[in-house]
């Protein structure tokens, strides 16, 4: 069994004295693991860093085996990703999100999205907005997509400012007013063809929105919690935009 594909490194763990198990997100074959012999060498360690783009060739006797990777560098961005907190936490948080998906299940659009976001992690507003959209895409692929394009009550597509925590669908300002205290806020930048820039307040609303549905539909049924790296990314993005105060309660930072 053999195939080759473009991939982005998600994580690495030791295997024996000189080898490593590498986890990658491939363009055509989803999240995939494989052993790299000599992966702890001085030559390979800089290549096998999370966030790097690589070309991988996988070989195994049978398809269900772990198999071995031969890895060639394509874009070594890991060093640049260590320069800001949003980038450091962002890479880890997105890798954790992709681990909710079944291994070897193809999601080419998530690969493309991951590749784009990795190039914008140094800009807090861009990084935050793209990260929220990435979380929405993961929810959708897991079968829990949100409908944010029209009001669940009236069918209206204008003045959408709430999301129903029960249905995961948008609600207009007028229809949701009587239950506003029970609704989740819908940030304007998630509107259809919206040209609104994501400021700190909108990002905070977006992070709360996706966290609510990730916890309800993905984490709680599996007895899991959202990765600590996500909280680090949220705090770093909001702090960079001046939207996180030191005296804020912890729940306001989620």
């Amino acid at each position: 069994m053999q195939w080759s594909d473009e991939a982005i490194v998600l994580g690495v763990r030791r295997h024996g004295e000189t080898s490593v198990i590498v986890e990658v997100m491939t363009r055509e074959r989803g999240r995939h693991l494989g052993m790299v012999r000599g992966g702890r060498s001085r030559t390979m360690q800089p290549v096998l860093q999370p966030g790097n783009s690589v070309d991988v060739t996988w070989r195994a006797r049978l398809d269900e085996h772990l198999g071995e990777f031969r890895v060639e560098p394509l874009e070594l961005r890991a060093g640049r990703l260590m320069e800001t907190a949003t980038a450091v936490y962002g890479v880890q948080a997105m890798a954790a999100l992709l681990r909710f998906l079944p291994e070897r299940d193809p999601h080419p659009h998530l690969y493309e999205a991951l590749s784009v976001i990795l190039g914008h992690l140094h800009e807090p507003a861009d990084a935050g907005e793209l990260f929220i959209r990435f979380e929405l895409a993961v929810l959708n692929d897991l079968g829990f997509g949100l409908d944010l394009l029209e009001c669940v009550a009236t069918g209206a597509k204008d003045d959408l400012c709430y999301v129903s925590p029960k249905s995961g669908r948008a609600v207009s300002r007028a229809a949701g007013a009587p239950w506003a205290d029970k609704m989740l806020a819908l940030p304007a930048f998630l509107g259809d063809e919206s040209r609104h820039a994501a400021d700190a307040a909108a990002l905070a609303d977006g992070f709360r929105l996706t966290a609510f549905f990730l916890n309800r539909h993905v984490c709680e049924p599996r007895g899991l919690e959202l990765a600590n790296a996500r909280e680090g990314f949220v705090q770093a993005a909001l702090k960079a935009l001046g939207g996180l105060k030191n005296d804020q309660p912890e729940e306001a930072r989620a």
Side-chain angles (χ1 to χ4, degrees), residues 56-133:
V56 297
T57 298
W58 180 83
R59 295 188 181 92
R61 190 168 64 86
L62 296 174
D63 186 63
E64 60 265 26
H65 288 178
L66 172 65
E68 297 184 14
F69 279 143
R70 178 176 58 81
V71 181
E72 299 292 339
L74 292 177
E75 182 177 357
L76 302 185
R77 60 171 75 87
R80 188 171 73 253
L81 293 174
M82 296 296 292
E83 295 175 357
T84 63
T86 51
V88 171
Y89 287 120
V91 173
Q92 299 175 48
M94 287 188 292
L97 284 167
L98 291 172
R99 292 183 186 114
F100 288 136
L101 300 167
E103 188 184 348
R104 306 187 182 189
D105 192 16
H107 298 270
H109 58 290
L110 290 180
Y111 172 88
E112 297 294 346
L114 177 63
S115 181
V116 169
I117 297 172
L118 289 172
H120 292 81
L121 284 176
H122 294 87
E123 298 295 332
D126 291 343
E129 179 177 342
L130 290 169
F131 183 87
I132 290 167
R133 293 184 183 278

Side-chain angles (χ1 to χ4, degrees), residues 133 148-149 160 186-196:
R133 293 184 183 278
L148 306 178
L149 300 183
L160 304 176
L186 174 59
F189 71 83
L190 290 179
D192 187 25
E193 299 183 356
S194 172
R195 297 181 180 179
H196 293 273

Side-chain angles (χ1 to χ4, degrees), residues 9-182:
V9 179
L10 300 180
V12 179
R13 66 176 185 266
R14 292 179 58 175
H15 183 76
E17 293 297 320
T18 61
S19 300
V20 296
I21 304 297
V22 180
E23 179 184 30
V24 298
M25 183 64 179
T26 66
R27 181 186 297 276
E28 300 295 339
R29 292 171 173 80
R31 187 173 59 86
H32 209 292
L33 280 74
M35 182 176 67
V36 176
R37 297 187 183 276
R40 298 182 62 200
S41 69
R42 291 184 178 180
T43 301
M44 291 306 300
Q45 282 187 1
V47 176
L48 302 178
Q49 295 296 315
N52 283 344
S53 290
V54 294
D55 183 86
V56 297
T57 298
W58 180 83
R59 295 188 181 92
R61 190 168 64 86
L62 296 174
D63 186 63
E64 60 265 26
H65 288 178
L66 172 65
E68 297 184 14
F69 279 143
R70 178 176 58 81
V71 181
E72 299 292 339
L74 292 177
E75 182 177 357
L76 302 185
R77 60 171 75 87
R80 188 171 73 253
L81 293 174
M82 296 296 292
E83 295 175 357
T84 63
T86 51
V88 171
Y89 287 120
V91 173
Q92 299 175 48
M94 287 188 292
L97 284 167
L98 291 172
R99 292 183 186 114
F100 288 136
L101 300 167
E103 188 184 348
R104 306 187 182 189
D105 192 16
H107 298 270
H109 58 290
L110 290 180
Y111 172 88
E112 297 294 346
L114 177 63
S115 181
V116 169
I117 297 172
L118 289 172
H120 292 81
L121 284 176
H122 294 87
E123 298 295 332
D126 291 343
E129 179 177 342
L130 290 169
F131 183 87
I132 290 167
R133 293 184 183 278
F134 188 78
E135 290 188 316
L136 290 171
V138 171
L139 276 167
N140 188 68
D141 279 26
L142 288 169
F144 305 110
L146 307 186
D147 182 355
L148 306 178
L149 300 183
E150 67 177 31
C151 176
V152 63
T154 66
K157 297 185 178 181
D158 298 323
D159 202 23
L160 304 176
C161 62
Y162 303 113
V163 177
S164 167
K166 291 184 178 181
S167 67
R169 299 183 64 182
V171 182
S172 68
R173 188 181 308 276
W179 302 278
D181 59 332
K182 298 181 180 180

